[in-house]
Structures are given as structure tokens and as C-alpha cells.
Amino acid sequence: MGIVCNLCLGIGLVTTLLLVRLYVVLTTTWAAKLRGRRRASDNCSLAVFLGSGGHTSEALGFLSALDFSRYFPRTYFIGEGDSLSMRKALELEAFKAADVQKDTRAIPPTKTPYTFIVIPRARRVHQPLFTTPVTSAVSLAAAVWHLTIAPLVCGGPSAEVLLLNGPGTCFVLCIATYLNRMLGLSSPKLIYVESFARVRRLSLSGKLLRPLVDRFIVQWPDLARGGDTGAYRGWL
């Protein structure tokens, strides 16, 4: 009986500590939303998840407006088997590299400016719902490896900003980021841009991630009504 009581007490203590830590992380995230912007001259390492199809087109459209001589190194997270997104990203990198060479004022990075990381999809199109927990767990394990374990083991740099815009795997990457925050490790700021296709209602990913990300942006004014759904920035 005493062993059971001690076990319950230990579980209760650990649970309490985890809840306190989660509260601290969440309040820190909400406070970060109120802080000022970075200086325009600061460099920023950037990661983005390319969710295939229209999501990839939108995400690359966001990146095309950025100054690649400032936002580097860049990390592209791509779902397993999505060779088209990788090809589109390479085309954008080649186009931007040509622009940098033409601009005599731009200082090219001395290290490799971009990398690709392939992770299993959390859920495939038309995948049965009862198998989703298994594939999501595999996807989460891969995300934890690349965002949490690999930077510690290999000593590689971690992104300062992670840009997300729709597919379910975004939620997996968000959970991995929060694991870093729970452990006090370096973690990227999370920016979620709701898909242009979402005019009146948020996507499931948007509903799940809205209270968790550091910046939540919508592209239609109807989604921003009420003031708590997200920041309306027009068509991006």
C-alpha cells in the first residue's frame, strides 16, 4: 500500500512540475508576441515547412519576398516523397542566387545557405483515421530528432524562425518546438500563416496552432474579426 501511495505521489509531483513548466512556456510565448521587431540589419536563420501542392506554392511565395542575403541559413522541411516541393525550392534558390550575384552591395554567406530535411508525413491524403496516430508518432519522432536531438549531438545551428502554413505535419513540428522550450533548449519562433484558400473558417491546423504559435497571420479580413483570431496582413 505504501508503495502505491509513493508511486501516486511521485506521478502527481512530476505532473505538477510539467504543468508549471508548460504554464511558464506558454506565458513566455504570449509575452514574446508583444515584443518589438528585430532590426532590419540583423541576420536571421529561417526554417520553413513545404507541405506540397498549394501549400508549397504559398510558402515559397512568402520566401520569394525576403532578402536571402539576410535570411540565412535556410532550412526546408519537406514531407517524405515530395520531390516536387524540393525541386520548386531549388528553383527559388537558384533564382535568388542569381539576384545576389547581380547585387554588388549584397554580402553572400560564407557557409551553405540552405539545407533540406525530409520527415515522414503525419498523415497522408485519404489515409484512414485509425492509422493516423502511428504515422503521426513516427513523424513526431523525426521532428524531435531534427529539432531537438541533432543540434545537441551534431552541434549544428538551429533556426531562429520556423514558418508554417497549413498541413498537419505543421502541428508535429510545433510540438517538437515546444519540447525544446519545455527543456530550456534553443527553439525557433513559430509563425503560422493561414492558407489563402481559407476565407471564412480556419483550417484544423490553424485552430490547433493559433494559441501556440508566436505569430498567427490570416489573409482574409473575415478571419480576423473579433480581434483574437489572428493578424490580418492582406494577401501574401
Side-chain angles (χ1 to χ4, degrees), residues 5 26 203:
C5 291
L26 286 174
S203 63

Side-chain angles (χ1 to χ4, degrees), residues 45-67:
S45 54
L46 175 69
V48 58
F49 175 66
L50 303 181
S52 77
H55 292 296
T56 290
S57 297
E58 287 190 28
L60 294 178
F62 305 152
L63 265 61
S64 66
L66 300 179
D67 180 359

Side-chain angles (χ1 to χ4, degrees), residues 9-235:
L9 181 61
I11 293 175
L13 179 61
V14 171
T15 302
T16 301
L17 291 175
L18 288 176
L19 289 175
V20 170
R21 177 59 181 165
L22 180 60
Y23 172 78
V24 172
V25 169
L26 286 174
T27 52
T28 301
T29 298
W30 294 333
K33 298 179 181 181
L34 303 177
R35 289 204 292 264
R37 299 179 179 178
R38 300 165 61 98
R39 293 181 301 176
S41 59
D42 291 343
N43 289 334
C44 178
S45 54
L46 175 69
V48 58
F49 175 66
L50 303 181
S52 77
H55 292 296
T56 290
S57 297
E58 287 190 28
L60 294 178
F62 305 152
L63 265 61
S64 66
L66 300 179
D67 180 359
F68 274 24
S69 64
R70 177 189 174 193
Y71 289 91
F72 72 89
R74 294 170 297 281
T75 302
Y76 295 93
F77 286 97
I78 296 178
E80 190 175 15
D82 187 10
S83 59
L84 179 60
S85 289
M86 181 177 291
R87 187 164 69 249
K88 292 293 186 181
L90 287 171
E91 290 175 358
L92 176 62
E93 287 289 343
F95 177 79
K96 284 290 192 175
D99 281 350
V100 171
Q101 292 177 356
K102 294 177 183 177
D103 188 356
T104 57
R105 297 170 301 175
I107 302 176
T110 56
K111 298 181 180 179
T112 303
Y114 63 90
T115 56
F116 290 95
I117 295 178
V118 179
I119 61 175
R121 297 175 184 269
R123 183 174 183 268
R124 298 182 180 275
V125 179
H126 304 308
Q127 179 182 338
L129 288 176
F130 69 89
T131 64
T132 300
V134 177
T135 54
S136 296
V138 173
S139 181
L140 178 59
V144 169
W145 167 258
H146 290 295
L147 289 175
T148 306
I149 301 176
L152 293 176
V153 175
C154 304
S158 57
E160 298 174 72
V161 175
L162 174 57
L163 179 62
L164 310 169
N165 79 322
T169 308
C170 287
F171 187 72
V172 170
L173 292 170
C174 181
I175 295 301
T177 298
Y178 263 80
L179 175 61
N180 283 20
R181 297 182 182 184
M182 293 282 288
L183 297 175
L185 301 175
S186 175
S187 63
K189 298 294 182 183
L190 297 171
I191 299 178
Y192 182 89
V193 183
E194 184 59 284
S195 173
F196 177 79
R198 292 292 173 169
V199 179
R200 299 186 181 278
R201 295 182 180 179
L202 296 177
S203 63
L204 178 59
S205 296
K207 293 176 181 178
L208 292 173
L209 293 176
R210 181 172 62 86
L212 301 177
V213 297
D214 300 288
R215 291 289 186 275
F216 188 88
I217 300 172
V218 296
Q219 301 187 63
W220 290 92
D222 285 351
L223 293 178
R225 289 177 180 174
D228 60 348
T229 302
Y232 170 58
R233 294 291 184 265
W235 296 358

